[in-house]
Amino acid sequence: MRLVFIGPPGAGKGTQAEKIVARYQLAHLSTGDMLRAARAAGTELGRKADQYMSAGQLVPDDLIIALIRQRLEQPDCRGGYLLDGFPRTIAQAEALDLMLAEKGTPLDVVLELQVDDEAIKQRLAGRGRADDKPEVIAQRLVAYHQQTAPLLDYYGRAGLLRSIDGMGTIDEVFARVRSVLDPLAG
């Protein structure tokens, strides 16, 4: 199973991603983790990405896409994967579609975890991390909605989007996730 996992910061995506990866035996591809690993390994891509990361800038699409392309070649991705944090833009989604079409391995599903903004603000405020101040949370949510709305439309038109209610206990939300993914797992 090949899936993209989308959700706002604080929606519980990390927790659900762990459960999905374990249940369906998928590789968990987090672009943040991949960038940090490439930087730590000192690869050419890692060195290039580090120039942007160290300056607090977004890593350009071509570098992210090259990193994803390399990662998808790894043996653990053959049985399927969960993409977390990618794609973030229509250009990235189109590049991913092209890359997967070349390999004959299109996405199976795009899973969106929906949690309303007020619930997210309460959840994040309770974590007590430095970047969880109310004004920072509000900015992150605005950025998320601006970036993600076009992606949701894009994948909706492709017939791949499945939205899950992210409110409730971890197990309640995972039961909803399973109701979408179990039929795809065969």
Side-chain angles (χ1 to χ4, degrees):
M1 180 183 335
R2 296 172 298 277
L3 73 107
V4 168
F5 199 23
I6 297 175
K13 206 170 50 138
T15 301
Q16 294 299 323
E18 283 178 24
K19 293 177 85 60
I20 292 167
V21 165
R23 178 174 176 88
Y24 301 101
Q25 300 297 295
L26 304 175
H28 185 182
L29 309 185
S30 158
T31 49
D33 290 348
M34 289 163 48
L35 284 165
R36 287 184 287 278
R39 178 168 62 181
T43 65
E44 182 183 346
L45 276 176
R47 287 192 302 275
K48 287 179 181 174
D50 185 48
Q51 294 172 353
Y52 295 94
M53 294 162 68
S54 296
Q57 299 172 329
L58 288 176
V59 177
D61 280 0
D62 61 329
L63 289 182
I64 296 283
I65 290 160
L67 193 66
I68 295 284
R69 183 182 298 276
Q70 267 185 5
R71 183 63 183 89
L72 291 178
E73 297 298 324
Q74 300 302 311
D76 66 331
C77 290
R78 289 193 192 120
Y81 49 82
L82 178 150
L83 278 165
D84 182 355
F86 181 89
R88 288 189 189 271
T89 64
I90 297 295
Q92 289 179 354
E94 290 171 342
L96 177 64
D97 285 350
L98 191 61
M99 187 188 325
L100 296 179
E102 287 169 5
K103 297 169 58 136
T105 58
L107 288 172
D108 294 304
V109 67
V110 175
L111 202 57
E112 177 203 14
L113 197 57
Q114 293 180 327
V115 178
D116 72 54
D117 286 1
E118 284 311 308
I120 286 172
K121 289 174 186 173
Q122 289 173 0
R123 286 181 186 184
L124 292 178
R127 289 197 313 198
R129 291 194 339 209
D131 62 342
D132 290 340
K133 294 183 180 83
E135 60 277 9
V136 175
I137 294 168
Q139 286 175 332
R140 288 169 64 199
L141 286 171
V142 167
Y144 170 78
H145 291 303
Q146 287 173 342
Q147 283 184 334
T148 308
L151 271 182
L152 298 177
D153 291 343
Y154 177 85
Y155 285 123
R157 284 193 306 276
L160 291 171
L161 183 66
R162 301 292 179 274
S163 297
I164 302 286
D165 178 2
M167 298 298 291
T169 68
I170 290 169
D171 290 338
E172 287 168 348
V173 174
F174 192 57
R176 293 181 204 122
V177 168
R178 286 193 358 244
S179 72
V180 171
L181 298 184
D182 281 357
L184 297 173

